[in-house]
Structures are given as structure tokens and as C-alpha cells.
């Protein structure tokens, strides 16, 4: 498997993002909301390095781009989300691809009464975005390749890998 971003580079970049976030919020409490499951490792690593009063919560967002349902349909579930009315939210996801997931989840959180929503992604894939969306914090921009590891999966496998890798295309 090709390693696109080694663990040490991720570790260093996550530290930079955490410092940038702490500076931006300037002591204000933040509620970090991760989009499961891809956010798992990024969220766990990032929050431990953010020096702010902080709460953490999760939502799920599943898209059904496959064979069975209408392309682009997205189901957001927020049963695990506490009351976020008036809270400053930092929404985290593993990767910004088409931008549809984050656009929808941001709208959902504003709908729930969030005072502000900023967005952080570990990865931003170049050349894939279908809706205009600008994240506030980006770890790395990457080429249009399917990547796995550090939370990202292929068929729910590989999330536990400590690096970002590219699966061999099989040909
Ligand atoms: P978007 O709505 O198209 O931006 O989709 C973002 C979601 O697609 C991410 O949260 C990932 O779950 C998934 N995704 C997009 N690209 C990749 C990839 O290269 N590897 C693994 N998952 C990906
Ligand atoms: Mg995901």
C-alpha cells in the first residue's frame, strides 16, 4: 500500500491545527461535533491538543450513493447530540470530497440553534467538490485518489491505520 501521509506528518499538522483553533476561539468554550465514523481518530487526536473549555458530541451522516437508493440522499442522525442552542460549534470530518455532507450538516446544526459553526477537515480532495463550501481548517489537500486510514475506510476496513494510504487500484 502506498503511504500518502505518514503518521508523523499527521501528528505535526494536527498540533498546528489545534493551536490555530485555540487562538481563534480565544478562551471561548467550544462544542466539537464529529461526523461519525470517519471523524473518529482525527477528533480524538485533535481535541486532546486543543487548550479550550471543550465539549464533544457526535452525529452520523450516511449517504447512499450506491445501487440501492437515490444518489445524493443523505441521512443525518443526531440522537447523541446534546442541546447546542447558543453554542459555538466546531464541526469535524475526515475529508471534504463533494462537499455535500458538510453543507447539509452545517445547515442542520444552525437549524438546531448553534450560535456559530466552523468546520475542520483533515483532508480536502482537489477537483471533486460539487457544492461551494469553504472549510475553516484543513489539514492537508490531496489529489483525487481514494484514501484510507486514520479514520477513513474502504467498506468499513482500514480505519485504524495510523497513516493515510492509497489502496492499490487492483489492475
Ligand atoms: P462528501 O459529502 O462527498 O464531501 O463526502 C464526504 C464523505 O465521503 C466523507 O466523510 C467520507 O466518508 C467519504 N469519502 C470521500 N472520499 C473518500 C476517500 O477517499 N476515502 C474514504 N472515504 C471517502
Ligand atoms: Mg465519512
Amino acid at each position: 500500500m502506498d503511504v500518502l501521509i505518514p503518521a508523523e506528518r499527521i501528528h505535526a499538522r494536527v498540533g498546528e491545527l489545534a493551536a490555530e483553533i485555540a487562538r481563534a476561539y480565544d478562551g471561548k468554550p467550544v462544542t466539537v461535533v464529529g461526523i461519525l465514523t470517519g471523524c473518529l481518530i482525527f477528533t480524538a487526536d485533535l481535541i486532546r491538543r486543543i487548550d479550550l473549555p471543550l465539549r464533544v458530541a457526535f452525529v452520523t451522516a450516511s449517504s447512499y450513493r450506491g445501487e440501492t437508493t437515490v444518489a445524493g440522499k443523505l441521512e443525518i442522525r443526531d440522537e447523541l447530540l446534546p442541546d447546542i442552542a447558543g453554542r459555538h460549534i466546531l464541526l469535524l470530518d475526515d475529508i471534504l470530497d463533494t462537499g455535500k455532507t458538510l453543507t447539509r450538516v452545517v445547515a442542520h446544526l444552525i437549524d438546531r440553534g448553534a450560535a456559530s459553526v466552523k468546520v475542520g477537515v483533515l483532508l480536502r480532495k482537489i477537483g471533486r467538490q460539487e457544492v461551494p463550501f469553504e472549510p475553516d481548517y484543513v489539514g492537508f489537500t490531496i489529489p483525487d485518489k481514494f484514501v484510507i486510514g486514520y479514520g477513513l475506510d474502504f467498506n468499513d476496513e482500514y480505519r485504524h491505520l495510523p497513516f493515510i494510504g492509497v489502496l492499490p487500484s487492483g489492475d
Side-chain angles (χ1 to χ4, degrees), residues 35-39 61 63 93-95 101 151-153 159:
I35 304 178
L36 292 171
T37 305
C39 76
S63 48
D93 204 0
D94 49 0
I95 186 165
T101 304
L152 293 118
D153 73 303
R159 294 193 198 273

